Amino acid sequence: MNKKGFTLVELITTFSLVSVIVILLMNLLVLIKNIYSESNVKTNLLINQGNLNKVLNEAFKKDNLISYKSCNESDFCYDFNFSDGSIKRLNVTKDKITFDNYVYKLSEDSSIINPTVEKEYTLSNDLNSYDSMLVIKIPIKNKFYSGNFGANIIYQYNSNKISL
Amino acid sequence: MKKDSNKGFVLVETLIVTAFVAGVLVFLYIQFNNLSRNYYESYKYNTVTGLYSLIDIEEFFELDINLPLILDEVNKNRYADITDCSLLNNNEYCKKLLELENISHLYVTTNNVSGIDLSVDDDFSKFISKINETGTQKYRIIASFKNGEYATIRIGENYE
């Protein structure tokens, strides 16, 4: 009698164990692949957010803001006048943000939702400290990732020294 | 005449191998689960908007006349809870600023945070446990935000 080969029970047992292992490993591979591809897109969003915040914060922290007024280029367009004499225009459309020489063109799956510029004032105990804020919000949402990838700039000032 | 077959597996052998393979797979699954959870959590730590919010807070602190008192408290207890702004002189402005920055808890601590018990939730504790003491600044601001993010910056270059 030929004693080579495997029995049916051995084969069935082996195939079922191997298939369970392969299925679980495939799940892990899919998870790692998703993490890899997601990190590329999300990293780009975060880099752009970092650049946007850096440009805006540097402009508002470097020099004192003297005044601002809206301009007619789009629904959200403001000219900011700084103490060094420079005037920087912030223009936000549905898919692009420009501020002075900086341009941020959004990808197709991102959009800007209701940008605002608002003033806040509080009663202050201290005449030398801040009592007012100019709040510039430019929320950017992405179709695939939750969270705000835009900018939230708060310019703090003393209304006794500056009138905006 | 009956012949006994010596082929195939004994049940015990099958069970032992199955248990071993299952154990290895469970171990791998747990490790990758931790990996992916840490990966997703890391996106909530020291976000761009969070860091710039704390820079705004620091800018405001530097002008508040109660800052030396706050730093005294930190030197004594290793931390001061600023969330309700009661320690600050300009507290109405402080509350408005924290509201606009979307901050839910705010602390000033020593640069080295190991061993500080801030009585915060597990996620916040986990973030604090990952903070390393670096730099020459003496103090640090730590904040948790209402959207579940956390951030910290070192402060105190100009403080005594």
Side-chain angles (χ1 to χ4, degrees), chain B residues 44-120:
Chain B
K44 295 184 185 173
Y45 294 167
N46 289 333
T47 57
V48 170
T49 47
L51 291 172
Y52 278 109
S53 294
L54 294 191
I55 290 172
D56 291 339
I57 304 279
E58 185 194 8
E59 192 185 323
F60 161 63
F61 276 178
E62 285 179 348
L63 290 182
D64 197 280
I65 56 174
N66 281 1
L67 180 61
L69 298 174
I70 295 172
L71 297 180
D72 278 342
E73 166 109 6
V74 174
N75 289 332
K76 243 187 303 187
N77 301 324
R78 295 192 67 200
Y79 75 94
D81 187 345
I82 312 291
T83 309
D84 62 0
C85 298
S86 56
L87 293 175
L88 289 152
N89 180 46
N90 199 353
N91 47 29
E92 287 304 315
Y93 180 87
C94 168
K95 286 177 189 167
K96 191 71 192 173
L97 181 61
L98 296 198
E99 181 196 322
L100 288 171
E101 299 282 17
N102 218 18
I103 288 175
S104 61
H105 291 94
L106 182 67
Y107 297 90
V108 179
T109 69
T110 52
N111 193 0
N112 181 359
V113 294
S114 61
I116 295 181
D117 180 16
L118 290 181
S119 303
V120 294

Side-chain angles (χ1 to χ4, degrees), chain A residues 137-151:
Chain A
K137 289 187 185 178
I138 309 175
I140 296 175
K141 301 287 183 196
N142 185 275
K143 258 193 273 186
F144 304 113
Y145 305 111
S146 63
N148 177 9
F149 296 99

Side-chain angles (χ1 to χ4, degrees), chain A residues 7 38 61 120 125 130 156, chain B residues 56 59 89-90 93 96:
Chain A
T7 64
E38 187 185 291
K61 301 236 183 284
E120 299 283 345
N125 311 347
Y130 296 128
Q156 305 180 76
Chain B
D56 291 339
E59 192 185 323
N89 180 46
N90 199 353
Y93 180 87
K96 191 71 192 173

Side-chain angles (χ1 to χ4, degrees), chain A residues 2 7 10 21 24 28 32 35 38-39 46 53-54 57 61 120 122 124-125 129-130 133 154 156, chain B residues 7-9 14 21 25 32 39-40 43 48-49 52 56 59-60 63 89-90 93 96-97 100-101:
Chain A
N2 186 355
T7 64
E10 286 171 334
I21 292 167
L24 287 173
L28 286 172
I32 292 168
I35 287 175
E38 187 185 291
S39 68
L46 292 173
N53 277 271
K54 179 172 182 261
N57 273 286
K61 301 236 183 284
E120 299 283 345
T122 60
S124 173
N125 311 347
S129 182
Y130 296 128
M133 295 173 244
I154 293 183
Q156 305 180 76
Chain B
K7 296 176 188 171
F9 290 111
T14 311
V21 168
L25 287 172
F32 277 106
Y39 164 78
Y40 286 114
Y43 277 111
V48 170
T49 47
Y52 278 109
D56 291 339
E59 192 185 323
F60 161 63
L63 290 182
N89 180 46
N90 199 353
Y93 180 87
K96 191 71 192 173
L97 181 61
L100 288 171
E101 299 282 17

